[in-house]
Amino acid sequence: MLTVSVLLLPLLLSSPPVSSSPLAKDQSVCARTFCGAGRECVSTDRGEPVCRCLQRCDVTEHWVCGSNGRSYRNHCELHRDACITQTKIHVEHRGHCLEKPTKTDVSPIVCFLSDRDWLRERVIQWLQEEVESASNVSSANDLLQTYFKTYDNGDSELDSKEFLSFLKHNETALNLTYSNTLETNLLLRSLCVDALIELSDENADWKLSLTEFINCLTSTYHPYERKCALEDEVLEDGAETQMECNKCVCACGNWVCTALTCTGEHQVEENDKEGAEEEEMTEEEWSRRVAELNAL
């Protein structure tokens, strides 16, 4: 038996390598394609490599300041935004940008998809760690039911205020920091909570039932990613447009706009001054215009 084994070994070693299958070739089609920072290669139905903007980046925090004056959680987020907006953005310096908005270019404070997803993933991670360390909790669903009962005011639904209270339960573990100022952090956290509620709010009442709350914070739940429409275009998260002197930004499927009083070059022309008072928009009319933009 030993002699036979020794004789078979050279035969096995000298056998020609098995050719790769068509499936393996399809999977490696992107191995020879370089897409650049902020992009990734995907294979088409025909097996051809195509570069597209990254769907998402990792959640590691290595903040950088972009040349557009915006802070990014890491280099990947900066390059992804440059790809989506089709603009050139380079790193000015490490860390957050100095928050000194100018009157000529003021952007609304918004919660982007990357901010919302980062917050959601950190909460899911915190819950998983708590389940592993607790002997009396069998699953994340059981833990979520406990928290739901703790922060529900009795109407069997969690609103944004109650959701924020739930997050404050483990503030240290979440380490929720977006910018250098406390006021901006609190505002962005509130906006991201609204985005999380909208994520799994099936009946659109801006509150979460127990089932919706569990879906929102379950890693296997993958809701439809909303985008923003503008005329005949469908734009990605982070896209921008202009309404008179105000900037509008696409964030989590909604257009969010500043509400500045337009002056200077945006004032009514001399020949249009007659009836200018009727053309000046009230806050209600401005909100309606933004709503119409989102309705697209």
Side-chain angles (χ1 to χ4, degrees), residues 167-199:
L167 293 184
K168 292 177 182 177
H169 174 80
N170 202 333
E171 180 106 18
T172 304
L174 292 177
N175 189 26
L176 303 176
T177 57
Y178 294 93
S179 71
N180 292 326
T181 63
L182 176 62
E183 293 79 5
T184 304
N185 283 331
L186 293 176
L187 177 57
L188 278 171
R189 183 186 305 183
S190 178
L191 293 173
C192 286
V193 164
D194 288 339
L196 280 177
I197 290 178
E198 186 180 21
L199 187 69

Side-chain angles (χ1 to χ4, degrees), residues 139-172:
S139 67
N141 283 8
D142 293 339
L143 186 60
L144 285 171
Q145 291 185 42
T146 301
Y147 281 127
F148 186 89
K149 294 177 181 178
T150 301
Y151 295 99
D152 171 33
N153 63 359
D155 62 355
S156 300
E157 291 179 317
L158 288 188
D159 57 22
S160 58
K161 184 178 180 180
E162 293 165 341
F163 202 116
L164 281 169
S165 298
F166 159 66
L167 293 184
K168 292 177 182 177
H169 174 80
N170 202 333
E171 180 106 18
T172 304

Side-chain angles (χ1 to χ4, degrees), residues 2-159:
L2 178 60
T3 304
V4 174
S5 300
V6 173
L7 290 175
L8 285 175
L9 181 59
L11 293 175
L12 292 173
L13 294 175
S14 61
S15 299
V18 178
S19 60
S20 59
S21 64
L23 179 60
K25 289 181 180 178
D26 290 340
Q27 292 175 342
S28 63
V29 68
C30 286
R32 299 180 298 275
T33 302
F34 176 74
C35 293
R39 298 174 178 269
E40 62 183 344
C41 177
V42 295
S43 177
T44 64
D45 295 336
R46 298 181 179 180
E48 300 173 347
V50 174
C51 291
R52 70 175 184 186
C53 298
L54 282 170
Q55 294 295 305
R56 63 178 60 193
C57 296
D58 58 56
V59 296
T60 56
E61 288 193 68
H62 299 290
W63 289 88
V64 293
C65 176
S67 56
N68 57 351
R70 179 183 166 190
S71 299
Y72 295 90
R73 183 166 285 110
N74 49 50
H75 282 78
C76 176
E77 293 285 1
L78 181 145
H79 293 303
R80 178 178 178 272
D81 188 32
C83 176
I84 291 173
T85 59
Q86 297 182 358
T87 57
K88 292 183 179 180
I89 307 174
H90 63 266
V91 176
E92 287 285 352
H93 58 79
R94 294 182 179 180
H96 294 278
C97 296
L98 298 177
E99 298 184 8
K100 294 181 179 180
T102 62
K103 293 182 179 180
T104 56
D105 186 18
V106 179
S107 297
I109 298 176
V110 296
C111 174
F112 290 103
L113 283 175
S114 58
D115 298 322
R116 182 201 69 183
D117 293 342
W118 175 83
L119 174 59
R120 179 171 177 260
E121 289 169 8
R122 291 295 292 267
V123 175
I124 292 174
Q125 181 183 0
W126 151 45
L127 292 171
Q128 290 174 343
E129 292 174 353
E130 191 164 335
V131 170
E132 293 172 359
S133 61
S135 58
N136 59 339
V137 179
S138 59
S139 67
N141 283 8
D142 293 339
L143 186 60
L144 285 171
Q145 291 185 42
T146 301
Y147 281 127
F148 186 89
K149 294 177 181 178
T150 301
Y151 295 99
D152 171 33
N153 63 359
D155 62 355
S156 300
E157 291 179 317
L158 288 188
D159 57 22

